[in-house]
Amino acid sequence: MRTLGVAVLGLFLGLVAGTLLTSAIARPFVDGGEADIPLGIAIALGMLMPVLGIVGAVAAVLIDRKSRKSP
């Protein structure tokens, strides 16, 4: 159960980080309410949040397992 909790926490933190990064990167492209984002950047921004969520969950589990093994 602890691993599941740590994974959910990592997923949540990764999604929050993805939201913040997406907002910070997309803000310069939006000027006056009109979005002019190139297709490649739009695809990358769309994939950023889920990818960071998964990375956060995996990293949290790995860090938790490593911290349990160390004396």
Side-chain angles (χ1 to χ4, degrees):
M1 275 317 258
R2 177 178 168 153
T3 303
L4 178 62
V6 168
V8 169
L9 178 64
L11 176 68
F12 177 72
L13 292 176
L15 290 174
V16 168
T19 302
L20 293 173
L21 281 174
T22 301
S23 296
I25 294 171
R27 186 165 300 247
F29 290 105
V30 179
D31 188 24
E34 187 174 317
D36 191 21
I37 302 174
L39 181 62
I41 294 175
I43 291 172
L45 288 175
M47 292 186 332
L48 185 64
M49 197 163 78
V51 167
L52 282 179
I54 293 169
V55 168
V58 171
V61 170
L62 292 175
I63 291 169
D64 181 56
R65 287 188 180 172
K66 186 170 179 111
S67 69
R68 276 198 252 170
K69 287 182 182 179
S70 65

